[in-house]
């Protein structure tokens, strides 16, 4: 990558965690490769643990993951804040509620279907409920990495589940009727573009950031989430390491 002339091209390896890749990648990939045809983008689906290791070893140039990670050697640039949405089937007692609060999750904790233990999304939910592990009093437990599986199990009467907002956009009208949004302040996850502080391909990283920000801005329309995106932008400015910046010409 010829950084001095502002040329945006060359091979670039990016990792994306499983709960983000299926929804975010189709939103920005076409725009990016059309706008930057000289970039040979290699996308890998990786867990957060794998991403951290690969960034430190130089096997990835950047990644998209839920943050904060609190890794000193990794820089985080917030892309957006994605709200959680509850998926509640008709046979669930909570179906009658039109708006959810975090307290509703705590009351129905034993009936919530979550992804497998150790999954970053599951950890986000546990943090919201202010607990470290799920209760063991449920008759049914499953370990799965698929939101689609969780939705189907909920429809079978095995509980309710939580979804990232972008996973709900393409749902059918029937499925959307089972979604319950949270009251303000809506719980959400922070999604960031992350890379090693030693990374040199900053032109491509900035191109990715601007492309993703452009498409997500139109998809996530909650007013308070936009406020959090703005706060994330301010956070990025104040945490910026100007010594490593490269000025585009």
């Amino acid at each position: 990558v010829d950084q001095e002339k502002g040329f945006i091209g060359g091979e670039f390896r990016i990792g994306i965690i499983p709960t983000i890749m299926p929804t975010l990648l189709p939103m920005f990939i076409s725009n990016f490769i059309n706008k930057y045809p000289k970039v040979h983008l290699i996308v890998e689906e990786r867990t957060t643990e794998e991403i951290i290791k690969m960034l430190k070893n130089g096997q990835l140039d950047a990644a998209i993951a839920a943050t904060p990670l609190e890794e000193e050697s990794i820089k985080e640039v917030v892309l957006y804040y994605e709200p959680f949405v509850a998926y509640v089937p008709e046979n669930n007692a909570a179906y009658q509620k039109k708006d959810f609060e975090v307290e509703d999750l705590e009351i129905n904790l034993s009936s919530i279907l979550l992804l497998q233990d150790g999954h970053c999304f599951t950890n986000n939910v546990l943090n919201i409920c202010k607990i470290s592990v799920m209760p063991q009093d449920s008759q049914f437990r499953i370990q799965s990495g698929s939101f689609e599986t969780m939705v189907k199990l909920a429809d079978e009467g095995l509980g309710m589940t939580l979804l990232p907002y972008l996973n709900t956009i393409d749902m059918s009208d029937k499925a959307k009727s089972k979604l319950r949004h949270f009251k303000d302040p809506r719980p959400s996850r922070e999604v960031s573009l992350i890379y090693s502080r030693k990374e040199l391909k900053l032109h491509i990283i900035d191109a990715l950031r601007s492309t993703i920000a452009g498409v997500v801005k139109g998809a996530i329309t909650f007013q308070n989430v936009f406020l959090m995106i703005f706060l994330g932008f301010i956070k990025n400015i104040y945490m910026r390491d100007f010594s490593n910046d490269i000025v585009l010409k």
Side-chain angles (χ1 to χ4, degrees):
V1 180
D2 191 343
Q3 297 282 1
E4 292 184 0
K5 297 181 180 179
F7 172 74
I8 301 179
E11 183 177 285
F12 192 86
R13 292 181 175 272
I14 183 169
I16 307 178
I17 62 173
T19 61
I20 293 176
M21 187 165 177
T23 52
L24 183 62
L25 185 62
M27 293 175 66
F28 78 85
I29 189 65
S30 293
N31 287 350
F32 184 83
I33 61 178
N34 288 334
K35 190 172 183 180
Y36 305 102
K38 299 293 186 182
V39 177
H40 178 45
L41 197 63
I42 301 173
V43 183
E44 302 182 24
E45 184 175 285
R46 298 285 183 175
T47 65
T48 301
E49 184 177 324
E50 290 173 332
I51 282 172
I52 293 173
K53 182 178 179 180
M54 295 176 76
L55 286 175
K56 290 181 177 179
N57 293 340
Q59 295 171 290
L60 288 176
D61 295 302
I64 299 173
T67 53
L69 299 178
E70 298 180 352
E71 291 282 340
E72 289 187 8
S73 63
I74 295 177
K75 186 171 177 63
E76 302 174 1
V77 178
V78 178
L79 294 171
Y80 58 92
Y81 288 84
E82 183 176 17
F84 296 122
V85 182
Y87 183 86
V88 188
E90 296 96 326
N91 53 23
N92 192 292
Y95 179 77
Q96 301 304 323
K97 293 182 68 70
K98 296 304 178 184
D99 294 298
F100 259 48
E101 298 182 40
V102 172
E103 289 75 13
D104 294 312
L105 294 181
E106 297 170 353
I107 293 172
N108 296 279
L109 202 54
S110 62
S111 68
I112 297 177
L113 299 168
L114 294 177
L115 300 183
Q116 61 197 46
D117 293 341
H119 202 290
C120 65
F121 186 81
T122 296
N123 292 339
N124 286 151
V125 176
L126 296 180
N127 288 336
I128 291 172
C129 298
K130 298 178 182 178
I131 61 172
S132 57
V133 295
M134 288 294 290
Q136 304 297 313
D137 56 349
S138 174
Q139 289 181 303
F140 176 80
R141 296 187 68 197
I142 184 172
Q143 290 194 343
S144 172
S146 167
F147 286 119
E148 182 180 358
T149 300
M150 298 296 100
V151 168
K152 289 181 178 179
L153 291 174
D155 284 334
E156 290 297 320
L158 294 173
M160 62 180 180
T161 191
L162 291 184
L163 304 171
Y165 173 73
L166 293 180
N167 284 70
T168 70
I169 292 178
D170 294 327
M171 279 184 158
S172 66
D173 291 339
K174 182 179 180 180
K176 286 182 177 179
S177 69
K178 303 172 187 178
L179 297 177
R180 296 294 180 266
H181 297 283
F182 287 87
K183 294 180 180 179
D184 292 334
R186 293 180 174 93
S188 62
R189 64 172 175 176
E190 179 182 274
V191 176
S192 297
L193 184 62
I194 63 176
Y195 54 94
S196 169
R197 293 187 180 275
K198 299 178 181 179
E199 178 61 47
L200 298 177
K201 302 176 184 178
L202 299 183
H203 281 81
I204 299 179
I205 288 173
D206 190 61
L208 276 168
R209 180 204 56 77
S210 61
T211 301
I212 294 171
V215 297
V216 172
K217 183 179 180 181
I220 300 180
T221 56
F222 295 111
Q223 183 176 0
N224 66 315
V225 174
F226 276 129
L227 174 61
M228 286 190 287
I229 290 175
F230 173 74
L231 293 176
F233 173 71
I234 297 298
K235 171 187 172 184
N236 289 336
I237 290 179
Y238 281 96
M239 293 182 68
R240 190 173 179 181
D241 185 355
F242 290 94
S243 64
N244 291 328
D245 279 1
I246 296 176
V247 179
L248 295 175
K249 297 180 180 179

